[in-house]
Amino acid sequence: MAQFPPIMPDKPVLLHGGDYNPEQWIKEKDVIWPIDMQLAKKAGVNTLSVGIFSWSMLEPEEGVYRFEWLDEVMDMLAQNGIKAILATPSGARPAWMAEKYPEVLRVDAMRHRQLFGTRHNHCLSSPVYREKVRKINTLLAQRYKDHPALGMWHISNEYGGECHCPLCQDAFRKWLKARYGTVDNMNNAFWNTFWSHRYSSFEQVESPSPIGESCNLGLSLAWRRFTSDQFCDFYSWEIAPLKEITPDIPCTANLMDFFPGIDYFKFGKLLDRASWDNYPPWTGDERDKESALHASIMHDIIRGVGGQKPFMMMESSPSAVNWHTINPLRRPGILMLQGLQAIAHGSDTVQYFQFRKGRGSSEQYHGAIIGHDNSDKTRIFREVSEVGQTLAQISEVCGSAPESKVALIYDWDNFWILNEAQFGNNQDKKYIQTVKDHYAAWKALGHQVDMIDQSCDLSPYRIVCGPMQYLLHDGFAEKVEQFVRSGGTYVATYITGWVNEENLAHMGGYPGPLRQVLGIWDEETDALDDTKKNSFTYKGKRYACKEVCALVHPEGANTLAAYENDFYQGMPALTKNAFGKGCAYYIAARTDRDFLKALYADIAEESGLQPLLENVPDGVICTERIGENGRFLFIMNPQPESCTLFLPSCLNLRTKEMLDGEYTLGAYEVLVLKGQ
Ligand code: GLA
Ligand code: ZN
């Protein structure tokens, strides 16, 4: 049982709040700000994120600082018992900086320097930009270090993108040199004798570009790793003065949904708490089941990225967003589900973008707690207030965390390289979809799942599933062997162990270094288009295979199911290899979720693993958090129909009633239960 400290020591409760831009209302502050405070308290808001895009208001001219308005905001928050999640302003920079120092502007892959505009578009290598960030971050920390409102630092906003300017090229070359040492090593790692691409100096290397090097997979992977590392480096740069001046104030950076640009598992190691922005396309119909599943896996990924500690849902929309193609209103109940779903997966916060809707510009119609009606009379305001009340009712959940015996591997290296590797189906290797299918199967069975990457410790788990682990990091196969030898169950699939960390094929047959533990040789892989299917029968039931079928030879493993069609009829579609005290499964073909559910039910039983709930109705998601205040079971129904389930004897934390046995879970209802 792990009990984690509250995110802000002097607010040991679940946090509720959102992005707040009082500076947009500076001319009407005497009217608007008091309304904001009054409504914030009414809605049960206890934190507000301020200063996120405030640079031009904080430093309207170079070296001219205007902190007075922020002083007033911070004082006002403190007076109203609201904690500030204070942002560094680097998410968007003022026009004067771009005008005076064009080097702060990014250069795109076509080598065009961008103009001033939008946000998140600065060169992270630029010494000028770095110095300006260091300066303003230092001033913020010095000014507010003892302010009672300061609860946390919000670093920049949704880091992302890339820059191909000369400064970044230089930084990339230095990164290559540090990684490879010599040009020869780099050439060998990238297989550069191919098409005569051998370099004779690091200076010749340019970042990938449609007008230059666009087919060198090793280089592309290196560029992705470099840009990701650049964000790690920039984040460390941003927090350096904060850590020096306010060592006890935690720092976070808000992450995004399956964002390709940063290896979040690596980046997460730098964060005091992980946080992310969650924007599911809730449609109010049966599609919400899949949207909820997507949000669940993302919550679990972010928790994994943050080292399985309670994390933060830093943003979510209180109502329709304004940037999906179609932005339907949220059906009643969805907002509560969205908030409690985050808590259920280990978030200690429910926060929104945005607290108050701006009057103009591109987010003028984005959902907000306070709309243009400027009142508390709206449905959205009422629903947000209900979330606030509910979070207060279930506050004892704060600091508890899920405990899982099942881990599912998802990693950025495979996300990156499978997008570029050319074989099989080049439209979509479906890496993310596949990971989601495996996740869905475990959730359908009512199990808790931890999302991890190859660098994580496997020893806390009984079952580790690594779908499509095409690229294997050095040492990972040994880790899997050790895990299985000591009694664990490892599950691998087709397209595993083809390349090493440098994207060079494993010689001697796939799945490379996992061959022994899996007890198979994977010789060839067939790609099936939508007109073709194969099948196999497992425990008397026939399952369809689609899209990917690997042709596998057992080398010690038992065949549990075999292909029923095509020239590879009779070859294994599913194998199981005993290894030490444990075993390893190989799923050779892509199937639907029904098969994964059947297989995982058997594997769970073999491992003696109990689900959180038996007979989970379709679409319902269960999670658990355990802490010093007890065990909390969350059961969510993310769909417009009700369903029936059977509960163990428990306390409904929201109503304080005892429940036991049959229960009708309403549309979009979330149960928060405390075990006996
Ligand atoms: C992102 C940003 C916010 C805002 C919202 C709108 O998550 O961080 O500033 O633009 O999207 O949904
Ligand atoms: Zn640059």
Side-chain angles (χ1 to χ4, degrees), residues 219-260:
L219 181 80
S220 297
L221 186 58
W223 173 250
R224 293 228 161 265
R225 287 172 172 163
F226 160 74
T227 48
S228 175
D229 283 359
Q230 238 200 350
F231 283 108
C232 294
D233 185 63
F234 194 78
Y235 175 83
S236 304
W237 173 266
E238 282 220 43
I239 65 169
L242 311 180
K243 287 288 169 199
E244 204 188 306
I245 302 164
T246 58
D248 299 329
I249 302 293
C251 298
T252 189
N254 50 338
L255 310 179
M256 290 178 272
D257 190 328
F258 281 111
F259 177 64

Short mmCIF file of all heavy atoms in Angstrom, two decimals, residues 219-260:
data_model
loop_
_atom_site.label_atom_id
_atom_site.label_comp_id
_atom_site.label_asym_id
_atom_site.label_seq_id
_atom_site.Cartn_x
_atom_site.Cartn_y
_atom_site.Cartn_z
N LEU A 219 18.49 8.14 -38.92
CA LEU A 219 18.59 9.58 -38.70
C LEU A 219 17.26 10.12 -38.15
O LEU A 219 17.26 10.95 -37.23
CB LEU A 219 18.95 10.29 -40.01
CG LEU A 219 19.11 11.80 -39.88
CD1 LEU A 219 20.47 12.17 -39.31
CD2 LEU A 219 18.90 12.50 -41.22
N SER A 220 16.15 9.65 -38.72
CA SER A 220 14.84 10.12 -38.24
C SER A 220 14.64 9.78 -36.78
O SER A 220 14.16 10.60 -35.99
CB SER A 220 13.70 9.46 -39.00
OG SER A 220 13.77 9.81 -40.33
N LEU A 221 15.03 8.55 -36.41
CA LEU A 221 14.87 8.14 -35.02
C LEU A 221 15.76 8.99 -34.12
O LEU A 221 15.35 9.44 -33.05
CB LEU A 221 15.21 6.65 -34.89
CG LEU A 221 14.98 5.99 -33.54
CD1 LEU A 221 13.53 6.12 -33.10
CD2 LEU A 221 15.38 4.51 -33.59
N ALA A 222 16.98 9.24 -34.60
CA ALA A 222 17.90 10.08 -33.82
C ALA A 222 17.32 11.49 -33.65
O ALA A 222 17.40 12.09 -32.57
CB ALA A 222 19.26 10.15 -34.52
N TRP A 223 16.72 12.03 -34.72
CA TRP A 223 16.14 13.38 -34.65
C TRP A 223 14.99 13.41 -33.64
O TRP A 223 14.85 14.34 -32.85
CB TRP A 223 15.68 13.81 -36.04
CG TRP A 223 14.92 15.10 -36.07
CD1 TRP A 223 13.60 15.28 -36.33
CD2 TRP A 223 15.44 16.43 -35.82
NE1 TRP A 223 13.25 16.60 -36.25
CE2 TRP A 223 14.36 17.33 -35.95
CE3 TRP A 223 16.71 16.91 -35.50
CZ2 TRP A 223 14.51 18.70 -35.76
CZ3 TRP A 223 16.85 18.29 -35.32
CH2 TRP A 223 15.77 19.17 -35.45
N ARG A 224 14.15 12.38 -33.66
CA ARG A 224 13.04 12.32 -32.70
C ARG A 224 13.58 12.25 -31.27
O ARG A 224 13.08 12.93 -30.38
CB ARG A 224 12.17 11.11 -32.97
CG ARG A 224 11.43 11.18 -34.26
CD ARG A 224 9.97 10.82 -34.06
NE ARG A 224 9.15 11.30 -35.15
CZ ARG A 224 8.50 12.45 -35.13
NH1 ARG A 224 8.56 13.24 -34.07
NH2 ARG A 224 7.77 12.82 -36.15
N ARG A 225 14.61 11.43 -31.09
CA ARG A 225 15.18 11.33 -29.75
C ARG A 225 15.82 12.65 -29.33
O ARG A 225 15.71 13.07 -28.18
CB ARG A 225 16.22 10.20 -29.71
CG ARG A 225 15.57 8.82 -29.77
CD ARG A 225 16.61 7.73 -29.92
NE ARG A 225 16.00 6.41 -29.79
CZ ARG A 225 16.58 5.28 -30.19
NH1 ARG A 225 17.79 5.30 -30.73
NH2 ARG A 225 15.98 4.14 -30.04
N PHE A 226 16.47 13.28 -30.29
CA PHE A 226 17.11 14.57 -29.99
C PHE A 226 16.06 15.61 -29.61
O PHE A 226 16.19 16.31 -28.60
CB PHE A 226 17.94 15.05 -31.19
CG PHE A 226 18.21 16.53 -31.16
CD1 PHE A 226 19.14 17.06 -30.28
CD2 PHE A 226 17.51 17.40 -32.01
CE1 PHE A 226 19.37 18.44 -30.23
CE2 PHE A 226 17.74 18.77 -31.96
CZ PHE A 226 18.67 19.29 -31.06
N THR A 227 14.99 15.75 -30.42
CA THR A 227 14.00 16.81 -30.12
C THR A 227 13.34 16.51 -28.76
O THR A 227 13.09 17.42 -27.98
CB THR A 227 12.92 16.95 -31.21
OG1 THR A 227 12.41 15.67 -31.54
CG2 THR A 227 13.44 17.59 -32.46
N SER A 228 13.11 15.24 -28.50
CA SER A 228 12.54 14.87 -27.20
C SER A 228 13.50 15.25 -26.07
O SER A 228 13.11 15.87 -25.08
CB SER A 228 12.25 13.36 -27.20
OG SER A 228 11.81 12.94 -25.96
N ASP A 229 14.78 14.92 -26.26
CA ASP A 229 15.78 15.27 -25.24
C ASP A 229 15.90 16.78 -25.08
O ASP A 229 16.21 17.28 -23.99
CB ASP A 229 17.17 14.70 -25.62
CG ASP A 229 17.25 13.21 -25.34
OD1 ASP A 229 16.26 12.64 -24.84
OD2 ASP A 229 18.30 12.61 -25.65
N GLN A 230 15.67 17.49 -26.18
CA GLN A 230 15.77 18.95 -26.10
C GLN A 230 14.70 19.51 -25.15
O GLN A 230 14.95 20.46 -24.42
CB GLN A 230 15.58 19.54 -27.49
CG GLN A 230 16.76 20.38 -27.93
CD GLN A 230 16.38 21.32 -29.05
OE1 GLN A 230 15.30 21.21 -29.63
NE2 GLN A 230 17.26 22.22 -29.40
N PHE A 231 13.51 18.90 -25.18
CA PHE A 231 12.48 19.35 -24.25
C PHE A 231 12.86 19.00 -22.81
O PHE A 231 12.59 19.78 -21.89
CB PHE A 231 11.11 18.76 -24.62
CG PHE A 231 10.49 19.48 -25.78
CD1 PHE A 231 10.41 18.89 -27.03
CD2 PHE A 231 10.03 20.78 -25.63
CE1 PHE A 231 9.87 19.58 -28.10
CE2 PHE A 231 9.48 21.48 -26.70
CZ PHE A 231 9.40 20.88 -27.94
N CYS A 232 13.50 17.84 -22.62
CA CYS A 232 13.96 17.49 -21.27
C CYS A 232 14.96 18.54 -20.80
O CYS A 232 14.91 19.02 -19.66
CB CYS A 232 14.63 16.12 -21.26
SG CYS A 232 13.51 14.76 -21.63
N ASP A 233 15.86 18.88 -21.71
CA ASP A 233 16.90 19.84 -21.37
C ASP A 233 16.30 21.22 -21.10
O ASP A 233 16.67 21.92 -20.15
CB ASP A 233 17.90 19.90 -22.54
CG ASP A 233 19.07 20.79 -22.23
OD1 ASP A 233 19.80 20.44 -21.29
OD2 ASP A 233 19.23 21.85 -22.88
N PHE A 234 15.33 21.61 -21.93
CA PHE A 234 14.73 22.93 -21.77
C PHE A 234 13.92 22.99 -20.48
O PHE A 234 13.95 24.00 -19.76
CB PHE A 234 13.85 23.27 -22.98
CG PHE A 234 13.47 24.72 -23.02
CD1 PHE A 234 14.37 25.66 -23.47
CD2 PHE A 234 12.24 25.14 -22.57
CE1 PHE A 234 14.05 27.01 -23.47
CE2 PHE A 234 11.90 26.48 -22.57
CZ PHE A 234 12.80 27.42 -23.03
N TYR A 235 13.21 21.91 -20.18
CA TYR A 235 12.45 21.87 -18.92
C TYR A 235 13.42 22.02 -17.73
O TYR A 235 13.16 22.79 -16.81
CB TYR A 235 11.67 20.56 -18.83
CG TYR A 235 10.94 20.36 -17.53
CD1 TYR A 235 9.68 20.93 -17.31
CD2 TYR A 235 11.51 19.62 -16.49
CE1 TYR A 235 9.01 20.77 -16.10
CE2 TYR A 235 10.84 19.45 -15.28
CZ TYR A 235 9.60 20.02 -15.09
OH TYR A 235 8.94 19.86 -13.89
N SER A 236 14.53 21.30 -17.79
CA SER A 236 15.51 21.39 -16.70
C SER A 236 16.04 22.82 -16.58
O SER A 236 16.26 23.33 -15.48
CB SER A 236 16.68 20.44 -16.94
OG SER A 236 16.20 19.13 -17.09
N TRP A 237 16.23 23.45 -17.73
CA TRP A 237 16.66 24.85 -17.76
C TRP A 237 15.62 25.74 -17.10
O TRP A 237 15.93 26.61 -16.28
CB TRP A 237 16.88 25.26 -19.22
CG TRP A 237 17.18 26.70 -19.43
CD1 TRP A 237 16.29 27.69 -19.72
CD2 TRP A 237 18.46 27.34 -19.37
NE1 TRP A 237 16.92 28.90 -19.85
CE2 TRP A 237 18.26 28.71 -19.63
CE3 TRP A 237 19.76 26.88 -19.12
CZ2 TRP A 237 19.31 29.62 -19.65
CZ3 TRP A 237 20.80 27.81 -19.13
CH2 TRP A 237 20.57 29.15 -19.41
N GLU A 238 14.35 25.51 -17.44
CA GLU A 238 13.27 26.35 -16.89
C GLU A 238 13.15 26.20 -15.38
O GLU A 238 12.88 27.16 -14.67
CB GLU A 238 11.92 25.98 -17.52
CG GLU A 238 11.71 26.56 -18.90
CD GLU A 238 10.28 27.07 -19.12
OE1 GLU A 238 9.74 27.73 -18.22
OE2 GLU A 238 9.74 26.81 -20.20
N ILE A 239 13.30 24.97 -14.89
CA ILE A 239 13.06 24.79 -13.45
C ILE A 239 14.29 25.11 -12.60
O ILE A 239 14.15 25.26 -11.39
CB ILE A 239 12.53 23.37 -13.10
CG1 ILE A 239 13.57 22.28 -13.40
CG2 ILE A 239 11.20 23.08 -13.78
CD1 ILE A 239 13.20 20.92 -12.82
N ALA A 240 15.45 25.26 -13.24
CA ALA A 240 16.68 25.48 -12.44
C ALA A 240 16.52 26.64 -11.45
O ALA A 240 16.72 26.46 -10.25
CB ALA A 240 17.89 25.65 -13.34
N PRO A 241 16.10 27.84 -11.92
CA PRO A 241 15.95 28.93 -10.93
C PRO A 241 14.82 28.67 -9.94
O PRO A 241 14.91 29.08 -8.78
CB PRO A 241 15.65 30.17 -11.78
CG PRO A 241 15.26 29.67 -13.13
CD PRO A 241 15.86 28.30 -13.30
N LEU A 242 13.79 27.97 -10.37
CA LEU A 242 12.65 27.70 -9.47
C LEU A 242 13.08 26.77 -8.35
O LEU A 242 12.74 26.96 -7.18
CB LEU A 242 11.48 27.10 -10.24
CG LEU A 242 11.08 27.81 -11.54
CD1 LEU A 242 9.90 27.10 -12.20
CD2 LEU A 242 10.72 29.28 -11.27
N LYS A 243 13.85 25.75 -8.72
CA LYS A 243 14.31 24.78 -7.72
C LYS A 243 15.28 25.43 -6.74
O LYS A 243 15.36 25.04 -5.58
CB LYS A 243 14.97 23.57 -8.41
CG LYS A 243 13.97 22.67 -9.11
CD LYS A 243 13.17 21.89 -8.08
CE LYS A 243 11.98 21.19 -8.68
NZ LYS A 243 10.96 20.81 -7.70
N GLU A 244 16.01 26.40 -7.25
CA GLU A 244 16.97 27.07 -6.38
C GLU A 244 16.26 27.99 -5.39
O GLU A 244 16.56 28.01 -4.20
CB GLU A 244 17.93 27.88 -7.25
CG GLU A 244 19.25 28.14 -6.59
CD GLU A 244 20.07 29.12 -7.41
OE1 GLU A 244 20.27 28.84 -8.61
OE2 GLU A 244 20.46 30.15 -6.84
N ILE A 245 15.28 28.73 -5.91
CA ILE A 245 14.63 29.75 -5.07
C ILE A 245 13.45 29.18 -4.28
O ILE A 245 13.19 29.59 -3.16
CB ILE A 245 14.20 30.95 -5.95
CG1 ILE A 245 15.43 31.52 -6.68
CG2 ILE A 245 13.50 32.03 -5.13
CD1 ILE A 245 15.11 32.43 -7.84
N THR A 246 12.72 28.24 -4.87
CA THR A 246 11.54 27.66 -4.19
C THR A 246 11.65 26.13 -4.18
O THR A 246 10.86 25.44 -4.83
CB THR A 246 10.23 28.07 -4.91
OG1 THR A 246 10.31 27.62 -6.29
CG2 THR A 246 9.99 29.56 -4.90
N PRO A 247 12.65 25.59 -3.46
CA PRO A 247 12.91 24.14 -3.56
C PRO A 247 11.73 23.27 -3.13
O PRO A 247 11.64 22.12 -3.55
CB PRO A 247 14.12 23.93 -2.64
CG PRO A 247 14.22 25.14 -1.80
CD PRO A 247 13.57 26.26 -2.53
N ASP A 248 10.82 23.81 -2.34
CA ASP A 248 9.72 22.97 -1.84
C ASP A 248 8.46 23.04 -2.69
O ASP A 248 7.47 22.39 -2.38
CB ASP A 248 9.37 23.37 -0.40
CG ASP A 248 10.57 23.17 0.51
OD1 ASP A 248 11.37 22.25 0.23
OD2 ASP A 248 10.71 23.96 1.47
N ILE A 249 8.49 23.86 -3.72
CA ILE A 249 7.29 23.98 -4.55
C ILE A 249 7.41 23.00 -5.72
O ILE A 249 8.37 23.05 -6.50
CB ILE A 249 7.13 25.43 -5.09
CG1 ILE A 249 7.06 26.43 -3.92
CG2 ILE A 249 5.93 25.55 -6.01
CD1 ILE A 249 5.82 26.32 -3.05
N PRO A 250 6.45 22.07 -5.85
CA PRO A 250 6.56 21.08 -6.93
C PRO A 250 6.38 21.70 -8.31
O PRO A 250 5.72 22.73 -8.47
CB PRO A 250 5.44 20.08 -6.63
CG PRO A 250 4.47 20.83 -5.78
CD PRO A 250 5.25 21.86 -5.03
N CYS A 251 6.98 21.06 -9.30
CA CYS A 251 6.89 21.53 -10.69
C CYS A 251 6.24 20.45 -11.55
O CYS A 251 6.48 19.26 -11.36
CB CYS A 251 8.28 21.78 -11.27
SG CYS A 251 9.21 23.05 -10.42
N THR A 252 5.46 20.91 -12.52
CA THR A 252 4.93 19.98 -13.50
C THR A 252 4.89 20.66 -14.86
O THR A 252 5.04 21.88 -14.95
CB THR A 252 3.51 19.49 -13.12
OG1 THR A 252 3.14 18.42 -14.01
CG2 THR A 252 2.46 20.58 -13.23
N ALA A 253 4.71 19.86 -15.90
CA ALA A 253 4.47 20.40 -17.25
C ALA A 253 3.29 19.60 -17.78
O ALA A 253 3.26 18.38 -17.62
CB ALA A 253 5.70 20.20 -18.13
N ASN A 254 2.33 20.30 -18.38
CA ASN A 254 1.13 19.58 -18.83
C ASN A 254 1.39 18.86 -20.15
O ASN A 254 1.81 19.44 -21.14
CB ASN A 254 -0.09 20.51 -18.90
CG ASN A 254 0.14 21.80 -19.66
OD1 ASN A 254 1.28 22.26 -19.81
ND2 ASN A 254 -0.92 22.40 -20.15
N LEU A 255 1.12 17.56 -20.13
CA LEU A 255 1.39 16.68 -21.28
C LEU A 255 0.12 16.51 -22.10
O LEU A 255 -0.97 16.90 -21.68
CB LEU A 255 1.91 15.33 -20.77
CG LEU A 255 3.06 15.41 -19.75
CD1 LEU A 255 3.48 14.01 -19.29
CD2 LEU A 255 4.26 16.16 -20.33
N MET A 256 0.29 15.89 -23.26
CA MET A 256 -0.86 15.75 -24.17
C MET A 256 -1.14 14.29 -24.49
O MET A 256 -0.33 13.40 -24.22
CB MET A 256 -0.58 16.52 -25.45
CG MET A 256 -0.58 18.01 -25.26
SD MET A 256 -0.20 18.88 -26.79
CE MET A 256 1.58 18.94 -26.71
N ASP A 257 -2.24 14.09 -25.16
CA ASP A 257 -2.79 12.78 -25.49
C ASP A 257 -1.97 12.09 -26.60
O ASP A 257 -1.91 12.61 -27.71
CB ASP A 257 -4.22 13.07 -25.98
CG ASP A 257 -5.06 11.84 -26.15
OD1 ASP A 257 -4.52 10.78 -26.48
OD2 ASP A 257 -6.29 11.95 -25.97
N PHE A 258 -1.35 10.95 -26.34
CA PHE A 258 -0.53 10.22 -27.32
C PHE A 258 0.28 11.17 -28.19
O PHE A 258 0.29 11.07 -29.41
CB PHE A 258 -1.40 9.31 -28.21
CG PHE A 258 -1.79 8.03 -27.54
CD1 PHE A 258 -3.10 7.80 -27.17
CD2 PHE A 258 -0.84 7.05 -27.27
CE1 PHE A 258 -3.47 6.62 -26.53
CE2 PHE A 258 -1.20 5.86 -26.63
CZ PHE A 258 -2.51 5.64 -26.27
N PHE A 259 0.92 12.12 -27.53
CA PHE A 259 1.67 13.13 -28.27
C PHE A 259 2.97 12.53 -28.79
O PHE A 259 3.74 11.94 -28.03
CB PHE A 259 1.96 14.31 -27.33
CG PHE A 259 2.79 15.37 -27.96
CD1 PHE A 259 2.31 16.09 -29.04
CD2 PHE A 259 4.07 15.64 -27.50
CE1 PHE A 259 3.08 17.06 -29.64
CE2 PHE A 259 4.85 16.62 -28.10
CZ PHE A 259 4.35 17.33 -29.17
N PRO A 260 3.22 12.64 -30.10
CA PRO A 260 4.40 11.98 -30.64
C PRO A 260 5.73 12.68 -30.34
O PRO A 260 6.78 12.05 -30.40
CB PRO A 260 4.14 12.00 -32.16
CG PRO A 260 3.17 13.09 -32.40
CD PRO A 260 2.37 13.26 -31.13
#
